Structures are given as structure tokens and as C-alpha cells.
Amino acid sequence: MKSKYVLFFVLMVLGGGVTAQQILPFPPTPSASKPGLTMETSTYKKRPEAKRLPSDAPNILIILMDDIGPGTASTYGGEINAPTLSRIADLGLSYNRFHSTAMCSPTRASLLTGRNHTGVGNGQIAALANDFDGFSGVIPKSAATMAEVLKAYGYNTAAFGKWHNTPEDQITNKGPFDFWPTGYGFEEFYGFLAGEASQYEPTLVHNTTYVTEEREEGYHLSEDLANKTIKWLQEQKTYAPEKPFFVYWAPGAAHGPHQVPQEWADKYKGKFDDGWDVYRERVFNRQKKLGWIPQNTKLTPRDETMASWASIPESEKPFQRRLMEVWAGFAEHADYHAGRVIDQIEAMGELDNTLIFYIWGDNGSSSEGLHGTISEQLAQNAIPTKISEHIEALNALGGLDVLGTNKTDNMFHAGWAWAGSTPYKGTKLVGGYFGGTRQPMAVSWPKTIKHDKTPRPQFHHVIDVVPTVYELLGITEPEVVNGFEQVDMDGVSMVYSFNDATVKGTHKTQFFDIMASRGIYSDGWMASTMGLRKPWVGGIPKGAKTWNPMNDTWELYNLDEDWSQSTDLSKQYPEKLEEMKMLFISESTKYKNLPVGGGLWATAIFHPEDAPASALTEWTFDAPLTRMPESAAPKLGKMSSLVTMELDVPKEANGVLYALAGFSGGVTCFVMDGYLHYEFNLFEIERTKIKSESKLPEGKATIVVESKLVDRIGGAMDVTLKVNGKAVAQKRVPRAMSLHFTSNATFDIGTDLDSPVALEYFDQAPFSYNGVIGKTIIKYTDVKK
């Protein structure tokens, strides 16, 4: 084209008499007022795009709540108000035998791809991934997400909230970004990449950029996610009204930490005063009355290792009650903001043609709070504590009213998680028993799906959502996506059940396995084993070092007659049990779920040294750096290390030199009134504080923080502070951490941008250093430990 224009002007200059019509690829339209090269825009038409969808293709909204059990929502007999879930159920259908994997990352990978969790490398959460094929933490490109496919068919796609499917070592702002939401087909992402986040001070990402904007007073993450979604929907309607949208809305609620404004928690004051045992009885009776569970269902008993409400000392019961009140308010608050998103869709006139899947939990309620806690990462780090320690620390912060605020990372007693599993015996992380794996789901599409209040009892799983969407849209399962040949879909469509509550189910076989708590479903039968650990017990399980999965005790249930897995038939039908166990091995082989227990490898139980982390053992920072994800940062509270910093110390020196993680747990080195301070915050329960005897000298100075493990990861650590080569303070940290302080906080040099690690500068946060920080060098001094 350029050569034609050049030739035209050259010939014109030379007087060759060549006309524009002879050179240009289009005929210009003459104009009387403006002779020469003018064109009418109306003569040009945009090249038509190929239509790959029917003109009335529905919008799609998936709402995925986090860590919420089947016995909680008021919609289905629970005592947590869930008006938005009820709204969707009243518009469409509900499924009472719908299942997850019992864990966050695995469920999300399965939901988005339509494949089994280990088959797409997500047999464990990203923070504890390892090198076994089924537990790598990477969704392969050969298992395209629904977002990738729908985008190719003409949808606008967006995800808001929790992601938790990106490798831990790839979440810095330098990527690579192939396994971020935008690399998996989402044109817009706003949320957090980790497994959890502070609801008040979250580390957030917009597409591939970390969010740095300041937040208004009263900020809460669930509200923010709804606001951003509403804005995106409004813009999508403006810019591309001809396109349908796919929105994946996954708040951090009600995963730990349980944080919500006090007025929401106060709505539940006194409602749980009689404890978790009585709660289960009330909910069980209500579930039967509603017809949510069969009339012959039995209420499963409390496990012998779980405390009864009667066994809780009276002095501790106010603490335990308030923990549940906060969680209940947190869950209702998230459901309310999900409702705001749906209100926006309705205001746009799109609700009638929007297919909504509302899944009440990516797994069951979490029992990781053990006996009730103000800092929930204690359990993942296998640190034993007493309730008296939690209450003492809480009282120092302000008492019960502090629960749910930014000064605690509280989680309720495991007994409340068990209550939330009514009528089942499992909780989150229990793959072999319902309660961990069975979640209610409501589906609506007013234009097409006729409302029916009769629950759909067909056995289904999160892997069935993608095939359902593809059938409704007339999409053939793709063989190649973005150049990658695709593995087969594992799920089956649920469309056949939309118009018939009594039709026989088509999902015949499903295996479950989360950290060796495993089960196998086959055409009405279920074989289950708890495996090595019960998540509500905590610590290192007895016999862990000699555990052999071949010796685990299995149970057998006829689900057609026993809805809640209450009656073990293994002694009655031993041959059937052996058949089911062999089927489990067959499915595990097929879907890369070997070795059994592979998801336990990098946990605090076996090899915390192999947990995902940066491959570096030495870092050089030429200038202060902020917002480095903890997963990619030096493991200062875990490994023996040496931190060396070059400072310019002003006369009135104050501020943070470096800080890792946050108020719920972390390490910090700071200067206050000229004195050098160090604090090891062991999840709020135990704070080891060190202070120099004299002030830092003005001018140039080199400070060194030397940390030495005494014997092992997670054990004691000796910390020495040095200024200009001279030791100025030393102290032993009684207990270090073994995995991580948080899932979503960061490492900062020169400031503390997360929730402040130390109470001393909490009200002055981010308490930036008022001098100059030069080079900072951090290195591990004993990588073998």
C-alpha cells in the first residue's frame, strides 16, 4: 500500500497525469466543496465477525463461596441467613448431592476445567504443591479452562476474588504470567492469587499488576469485589452489548481469617449460646422438615477426638460463641454482596437470560481453627497452643470485641465446622466423608429453566459444571485450544436433570482424595477412609513417620439407603469393599493420584523444607523494595539467615527497616526513638522482642540481624542484632515457624505496608524509615536446615 502512495505522488510531481483512481485501492467520493481525496464514511462497512454462539446465548455467573459447610445456609435448613442463595434457589433448582474435592485449589481447578483435580496437577493447594505429577500446582494448558473456551466463542470473561491456582514461585510482579487468571482466559481479573487474604488489608492484583491504591476507611474486601464487578458489568454493557459475559465471583469469605464489621457479627449475638451439639440437632430437624434430606437420614455422631460443647469450660465459652457469631456474620455479609452483583444484572435487564451457578462452598467448613484461635496459621505450621494463650493475647488487644477486626486472624472451634456439616461427619480436608465434599448448589436461568423446589438428588461433582455449560451453548468439547491438544473432559452434563427431579443420575464413578483422606463413589456405593490425619486434631499425627496407606481402615456405605454415611457395611460386604478399593486404585492411576498421600509431602508433617519457595538462597536489594510476596521472599522466620543493611541514620531515627508478613504473624526490624528493635511475632500468641541497649549512632551504619536455628525447622531460633560489627542485643525465639506466616502478605524494606507486624507501631503504620537505606543483602547461612 505504501509503495502505491509513494508512486502516486512521485508521478504527480513529474506530471505523469496518473489519477488517484488508478492508484488507490478504493474510489474516492468527490466533493464540490472539498475537491480531491475525500471519502464518505458511510460507504465503509466493518468486516463481519463469525458468529459462534446463538444470538440468545446466556450470560453466565458462577458464585463460589469459600469454606462453608452444607449445614449452614438458611436456604437449606441452616442458621446463617443467606437471602441471595435463597433467591437463586427460588428462581431455579437446587442440588443436594453436589460435591467438591474438600479443598480450595483442587476444587477451583476442577470447577474451571471440568477435569479431576489431580488430573490437572491440583491434588494439593498451591502453597503446598510438590513435584509429583498430580500435585504440581499447575493446571496444564492441555486442560483449558471454561474461560478460555468461552472467550474464543465470543464471551467477555472476568474473574473477581480468590484465585489460588498459580504456582507460589510465580506470583511476583515479574511473572511469568502464563498461569495467572489472564493466562487462563480471563480478560479481567481483580482479586488475590493466594489461598486467603486479610479482609481489611489484602494484597490484591488487577490483571497482572499489584494494586497500590489507598483504601477508604471502612474498607472490606467482599464489598470491594462486588463494587469492581458491578463496574465491570456496567462497562461491558456499554462497550460490548452484543456480547454475553462470563463472570466468576469467588470471595474470600468465609475462609479464615474470619473478619467482618462488628454490626454483622452482632446480628448473631446469643444465637449459638447452646453450642455445636445442639445446633446440629436443630438443623438436622429443619433439613428433614424442608425435605432437603430424606426422612430416613441419620444424624452422624461426633468423632471421639472432637470436644463436646459440655466439655468446654464456662470461662472459655464466651470466646467460642463469639468466634461463631463472627463467622456467621462474615458468611452472610458475603452473600449480601453477591446479591448486589445479581441486582446489577437485573438492573441491566439481563437476569432473565443469565445462567447462574451458586455453589455454597468450595469445600466444607474448616476445622483448621482446631480449638478456636486468634491466629489461624498456627494449625498449618503445626504449632500447639492452649486456649488460655489465645484468650490472654486477645484480652491484651481489647477483648472479645477485637475478634473479626484487623488485629486478629480468628477462626472458630472445629466443633462449629462439624456443626456446619450437619448431618455429615466430615469437614474441610476430609476427602472420604461428606461434610468435607458435599456442598449445596442452586442453579437458575429464568428464561429456560423452570423453577422446581424439589431438590435434585443425582450424584454430581464440580467437574460437571463445564460440560453442562457446553451442552447448553451447543459447544462441542474442543480438541485443540490455543494450539494445545486437549485431554478428555472428566465431568458429565447435568442438563438432563433440569426438567426431571427423579431421573437416574449419569455420574457413575467419582474418586476423592485430599492428603490421603480418600473415598470412591460407584453407582450408589461409597468406600471411605480417614487416612493419616483428622484435620481438627492438629499437630503431627501419631505414627506419621511409619504410616503406610495400605494399612488404613476402610468403611463401606450404601448411599441409596444411607444418605449421611452413618452405617458401615464393610464387615457385611467385604468383597464389595475390596472391589471398591481396587476401583479407587484404578481411578487414582488414571488421574495421577499417586502416590497415595502425595499431597502430604511438603506439609509440616513430613517435609516443610520442600514447601514451595524461591530457589534463591541469597538476595541483594540495591534500594528499598515493597510488596514482595511472602511466598517469593526470604523465609526469615523459617531458615537460618543473615540480614545486612547499610543505613544513613538521622538524629531522630524512627521507622521500619524491614518487615515480613503482618500482625497475625511475622518478623520485623525497626528503629524507634533511635533504638534498634526486632520482633518475632509467632502468630500473636508469642512475641519475642529484642531491643538494643543504646541508640544507633548518627550517620553511616551497618546493621546485621543474624538468625540461627538451634536444631530444626520450626524449633528454637537464636537472634543476634549487630551494629557496625558489634553485638548490641541477643535473644532466643522459643518457637519459629515451619511453613509460612501468611498466605497473602508481603515483604517490605523501609516500611510495613501490610497489617503491621508489631503492636508498638500499629497506630503509626506503615511507619516508614525516616533515614536512608542503602544496600540490603539477605542470605541463608545453613540451607541444609
Side-chain angles (χ1 to χ4, degrees), residues 677-688:
H677 292 253
Y678 171 93
E679 180 171 324
F680 193 113
N681 173 359
L682 186 75
F683 305 103
E684 301 192 60
I685 295 302
E686 190 173 85
R687 294 177 182 268
T688 302

Side-chain angles (χ1 to χ4, degrees), residues 304-518:
E304 70 277 2
T305 61
M306 186 178 291
S308 67
W309 179 253
S311 70
I312 302 298
E314 288 298 322
S315 61
E316 295 179 4
K317 284 184 176 178
F319 174 66
Q320 303 294 0
R321 291 177 181 127
R322 188 57 178 173
L323 288 173
M324 180 56 177
E325 291 168 3
V326 170
W327 182 86
F330 188 28
E332 180 181 345
H333 180 259
D335 177 85
Y336 165 78
H337 286 292
R340 293 179 55 225
V341 173
I342 295 171
D343 287 344
Q344 176 61 37
I345 294 173
E346 184 174 33
M348 293 160 49
E350 296 288 342
L351 184 59
D352 191 53
N353 196 34
T354 298
L355 172 63
I356 300 176
F357 297 88
Y358 192 143
I359 304 172
W360 187 252
D362 59 348
N363 43 243
S365 295
S366 175
S367 56
E368 295 163 292
L370 304 183
H371 310 297
T373 180
I374 64 169
S375 193
E376 45 99 11
Q377 287 290 335
L378 283 162
Q380 288 213 23
N381 286 274
I383 299 173
T385 58
K386 298 177 181 179
I387 288 299
S388 58
E389 295 178 85
H390 294 256
I391 294 177
E392 181 181 354
L394 182 65
N395 288 337
L397 295 172
L400 291 178
D401 283 345
V402 177
L403 293 173
T405 72
N406 60 347
K407 285 189 175 180
T408 58
D409 266 26
N410 47 278
M411 280 188 73
F412 55 26
H413 192 290
W416 291 121
W418 171 67
S421 299
T422 308
Y424 312 111
K425 64 179 71 175
T427 66
K428 175 186 177 181
L429 304 185
V430 177
Y433 297 90
F434 305 143
T437 60
R438 180 165 286 179
Q439 276 67 56
M441 179 177 70
V443 180
S444 74
W445 182 11
K447 181 179 178 180
T448 300
I449 300 175
K450 184 180 178 181
H451 168 59
D452 185 353
K453 67 179 181 180
T454 305
R456 268 37 184 180
Q458 295 83 9
F459 193 102
H460 279 290
H461 189 274
V462 291
I463 60 176
D464 298 333
V465 172
V466 172
T468 301
V469 170
Y470 289 177
E471 180 178 346
L472 291 173
L473 296 179
I475 293 175
T476 302
E477 181 181 333
E479 297 180 2
V480 177
V481 177
N482 297 328
F484 293 91
E485 291 188 11
Q486 298 294 290
V487 296
D488 290 340
M489 204 76 66
D490 300 326
V492 300
S493 171
M494 298 180 286
V495 173
Y496 73 95
S497 64
F498 284 179
N499 295 321
D500 189 348
T502 63
V503 66
K504 189 173 179 61
T506 60
H507 193 127
K508 299 297 185 180
T509 302
Q510 182 61 50
F511 88 98
F512 300 86
D513 191 347
I514 290 297
M515 292 196 287
S517 176
R518 54 205 191 275

Side-chain angles (χ1 to χ4, degrees), residues 145-146 171 207 225 256 262 291 366 406 442 453 525 557 563 602 686 705 723 733 779:
T145 69
M146 178 165 53
I171 66 172
N207 294 331
L225 295 175
Q262 184 173 339
S366 175
N406 60 347
K453 67 179 181 180
W525 289 88
Y557 302 97
W563 184 269
E686 190 173 85
V705 179
V723 178
V733 174
K779 62 181 179 179

